[in-house]
Amino acid sequence: MDMAMATFNSHDCGDCPIRHRAVCARCDDRELDELEQIKYYRSYEAGQTVVWSGDPMDFVGSVVTGIATLTQTMEDGRRQMVGLLLPSDFVGRPGRERAAYDVTATTDIVMCCFRKKPFEEMMLRTPHIGQRLLEMTLDELDAAREWMLLLGRKTAREKIASLVAIIAKRDASANGAGRERAVTFDLPLTREAMADYLGLTLETVSRQISALRRDHVIEMQGKRHVTIPDMDRLLEEAGDDADGGMLV
Amino acid sequence: MDMAMATFNSHDCGDCPIRHRAVCARCDDRELDELEQIKYYRSYEAGQTVVWSGDPMDFVGSVVTGIATLTQTMEDGRRQMVGLLLPSDFVGRPGRERAAYDVTATTDIVMCCFRKKPFEEMMLRTPHIGQRLLEMTLDELDAAREWMLLLGRKTAREKIASLVAIIAKRDASANGAGRERAVTFDLPLTREAMADYLGLTLETVSRQISALRRDHVIEMQGKRHVTIPDMDRLLEEAGDDADGGMLV
DNA sequence: CGCAGAATTGATACATCTCAAGCTGGGTGG
DNA sequence: CCACCCAGCTTGAGATGTATCAATTCTGCG
């Protein structure tokens, strides 16, 4: 808890790091005040389960810091990650009683939660929230569809390259860096989580990472820290068009 | 065109077959009047492309009758279907200039289109539209995530069984039938389209259909008409829990 | 009737999975 | 402080499911 809160101590929406990107992005000061009435923070340590699929869920909320995942599990244990939740991403569905997926913290996380009932009522009165949520949901749907192409049609090597590219891109946009020079960052996922993301086994993930390393598409310092010497080369390996499929 | 319009001749929202399910579902009479101002119908024949990915798109709209697909294509030609559009499903994204996917009619279809600019303006004034669109988008996101599990973790046999189950379920709900007795319906997709849906080759699709037929999980009259003697058996083969993963 | 697109079936190749054996590095208790 | 331990990771060898290439067989239609 202390670890997770270390980088985030404020309870004031005004200096919230995700103020301009989360579900509250379009809210004016009055609306923010109202949201503050029903909000509270919760922290989870890396590895903890936030909610189990099928469990009742009496809140919705936003990831403030850290990374969480949405996964689906079949009866025999096969697992597929279906969402990667980064800061500002929304968890839960207004109008739904129970969680549809397992939500797991992969790093320490802080969430900004709203009690579901009051939030739903406020949504009806406050178009700004619904509008922003629609926008975010459409973005998620696009991401899910890109992911479907990856799962259905890409080779293991392309899958790994794609995942690395996605994380690199997110990091670049978070840190405001351009594409001009070598990018470096940490993989926030274990090999097993990557396998669940990509529809592979963890052994195949490991092998393909080794192969990309051998071919100098990526460089690694330790098991988690990655350097991309040539982003265009990586995107080529990912099978995306050179511009990374950006939809303006 | 005539074929497609045969089952739908009205231009009055009042007797529209998707009135209660489409993006206009929550609209009152006044709002419907306003929508009628900016709406027009278009028909496409089976096989026709409605829009190409990347092309400018100056309308949004709903499928009224027939079935269309959303597909993504890689540079080397690999294709993955990322959406199956049934009557009442929405096409296009408010705020987006260009189509993100290829939209193709797989049967003759009729679409109810709205000019994009006026529709966007009306959305800002009319919470009912945005609310319904949010609901529909969240449903699509759930469907996309179920599909991701299929693409990432299911075997070819399970994929085919799942697809048949999905179509059977939709048909049952359209025709109001319960689960009690044998269901029969037409596959609205070619083997190739099924392959694109499932992330398989068309040969594998064909082989697995033959296998399910041999094992009496499905029965077929001709190449398209299917009978399900035992729905629970089919769901078992699909790898879903017995209740089909219904989220109430 | 015969052609063309759609579907089936067969033989083989190959990518990924499975099972199994080590490796590595950071934390812990003796 | 060091040896051990253990989770996470890597690598290997062999099995297997699906893709690929190729040949027929259907089926609807001009």
Side-chain angles (χ1 to χ4, degrees):
Chain A
M1 150 109 192
D2 313 273
M3 197 55 211
M5 293 298 279
T7 53
F8 179 67
N9 285 304
S10 169
H11 279 217
D12 172 7
C13 291
D15 14 288
C16 175
I18 59 169
R19 165 73 180 90
H20 52 301
R21 304 186 62 201
V23 70
C24 52
R26 295 193 182 185
C27 290
D28 57 35
D29 291 343
R30 204 197 55 64
E31 291 163 349
L32 272 192
D33 283 348
E34 197 174 343
L35 276 175
E36 297 227 36
Q37 305 296 314
I38 59 172
K39 100 178 182 201
Y40 56 98
Y41 291 98
R42 295 205 54 178
S43 301
Y44 301 86
E45 286 171 36
Q48 268 192 300
T49 296
V50 177
V51 268
W52 294 97
S53 171
D55 279 1
M57 207 175 152
D58 60 350
F59 69 96
V60 296
S62 305
V63 176
V64 181
T65 63
I67 294 179
T69 63
L70 252 42
T71 59
Q72 243 179 336
T73 308
M74 294 172 68
E75 292 164 44
D76 61 7
R78 282 175 283 176
R79 303 203 318 150
Q80 175 63 52
M81 195 185 297
V82 296
L84 188 59
L85 300 172
L86 306 176
S88 84
D89 283 340
F90 191 78
V91 178
R93 172 171 175 166
R96 173 171 290 163
E97 287 299 312
R98 295 166 175 284
Y101 314 101
D102 294 332
V103 182
T104 312
T106 63
T107 65
D108 292 345
I109 64 172
V110 177
M111 292 197 46
C112 172
C113 303
F114 307 103
R115 286 179 293 121
K116 192 153 72 77
K117 245 323 167 7
F119 184 84
E120 284 165 4
E121 282 158 10
M122 185 169 168
M123 258 187 75
L124 291 176
R125 278 177 281 119
T126 316
H128 282 164
I129 295 178
Q131 285 166 8
R132 177 63 187 145
L133 191 54
L134 174 58
E135 202 168 53
M136 292 170 71
T137 307
L138 286 165
D139 285 341
E140 272 188 276
L141 187 55
D142 280 335
R145 285 172 168 164
E146 189 121 346
W147 199 337
M148 285 170 53
L149 175 65
L150 177 151
L151 290 171
R153 294 303 187 192
K154 289 191 179 179
T155 64
R157 170 182 263 245
E158 289 170 333
K159 286 178 175 180
I160 297 290
S162 298
L163 176 58
V164 173
I166 286 168
I167 297 171
K169 214 174 295 175
R170 162 185 74 76
D171 239 65
S173 85
N175 302 336
R179 182 189 290 189
E180 59 284 351
R181 63 190 317 91
V183 187
T184 104
F185 55 90
D186 277 329
L187 291 173
L189 303 173
T190 64
R191 299 290 186 264
E192 188 180 19
M194 291 187 230
D196 286 344
Y197 188 108
L198 301 171
L200 298 170
T201 58
L202 74 88
E203 294 95 327
T204 299
V205 169
S206 186
R207 273 186 250 276
Q208 296 298 335
I209 288 178
S210 298
L212 288 175
R213 199 144 50 95
R214 253 199 317 280
D215 301 343
H216 306 292
V217 179
I218 61 178
E219 289 161 15
M220 300 202 64
Q221 298 78 45
K223 290 170 190 306
R224 292 294 193 91
H225 199 75
V226 182
T227 304
I228 313 292
D230 179 352
M231 186 57 103
D232 288 335
R233 172 77 194 285
L234 179 67
L235 290 173
E236 215 170 277
E237 291 283 355
D240 298 333
D241 4 14
D243 63 276
M246 287 309 290
L247 296 161
V248 185
Chain B
M1 154 109 195
D2 314 271
M3 197 55 212
M5 293 298 280
T7 53
F8 178 69
N9 285 305
S10 170
H11 279 218
D12 173 7
C13 292
D15 15 288
C16 176
I18 58 168
R19 164 74 180 91
H20 51 301
R21 304 187 62 203
V23 70
C24 52
R26 296 192 181 185
C27 290
D28 57 35
D29 290 343
R30 203 198 52 69
E31 291 163 348
L32 272 192
D33 283 348
E34 197 175 345
L35 275 176
E36 298 228 34
Q37 304 297 314
I38 58 172
K39 101 179 181 201
Y40 56 97
Y41 291 97
R42 294 205 55 176
S43 302
Y44 301 85
E45 286 170 37
Q48 267 192 302
T49 296
V50 178
V51 269
W52 294 98
S53 170
D55 278 1
M57 207 173 152
D58 59 350
F59 69 95
V60 297
S62 305
V63 176
V64 181
T65 62
I67 294 180
T69 62
L70 252 40
T71 58
Q72 242 177 338
T73 308
M74 294 173 67
E75 293 165 41
D76 61 6
R78 281 176 282 176
R79 303 204 317 152
Q80 175 64 52
M81 196 185 296
V82 297
L84 188 59
L85 300 172
L86 307 176
S88 83
D89 282 339
F90 190 77
V91 178
R93 172 170 174 168
R96 172 172 289 164
E97 287 300 312
R98 295 166 174 284
Y101 314 100
D102 294 331
V103 182
T104 311
T106 64
T107 66
D108 292 344
I109 64 173
V110 177
M111 293 196 47
C112 171
C113 303
F114 307 103
R115 286 179 293 124
K116 191 152 72 75
K117 243 329 166 5
F119 184 84
E120 284 165 5
E121 281 157 12
M122 184 170 169
M123 259 188 76
L124 291 175
R125 277 177 282 121
T126 316
H128 283 164
I129 296 178
Q131 285 165 9
R132 177 62 187 144
L133 191 54
L134 174 58
E135 202 168 52
M136 292 171 71
T137 306
L138 286 164
D139 285 341
E140 271 188 276
L141 188 55
D142 280 334
R145 284 172 168 164
E146 189 122 343
W147 199 337
M148 284 170 53
L149 176 65
L150 178 151
L151 290 171
R153 294 303 187 194
K154 289 190 178 179
T155 65
R157 172 181 258 246
E158 288 170 333
K159 285 178 175 181
I160 298 290
S162 299
L163 175 58
V164 173
I166 286 167
I167 296 172
K169 215 174 294 173
R170 162 184 77 76
D171 239 64
S173 84
N175 302 336
R179 182 189 292 193
E180 60 283 353
R181 63 192 313 93
V183 186
T184 102
F185 54 91
D186 276 330
L187 291 174
L189 302 174
T190 65
R191 299 289 186 265
E192 187 180 20
M194 291 186 229
D196 285 344
Y197 188 109
L198 301 171
L200 299 169
T201 58
L202 73 91
E203 293 95 328
T204 299
V205 169
S206 186
R207 273 187 249 275
Q208 295 299 335
I209 288 177
S210 298
L212 288 176
R213 199 144 52 94
R214 251 197 319 280
D215 300 342
H216 306 290
V217 178
I218 62 178
E219 290 161 13
M220 300 202 63
Q221 298 78 43
K223 290 170 189 308
R224 292 296 192 90
H225 198 76
V226 182
T227 304
I228 313 292
D230 179 352
M231 186 56 102
D232 288 335
R233 172 77 195 286
L234 180 67
L235 291 173
E236 215 170 277
E237 291 282 357
D240 298 333
D241 7 12
D243 63 273
M246 286 310 290
L247 295 161
V248 187

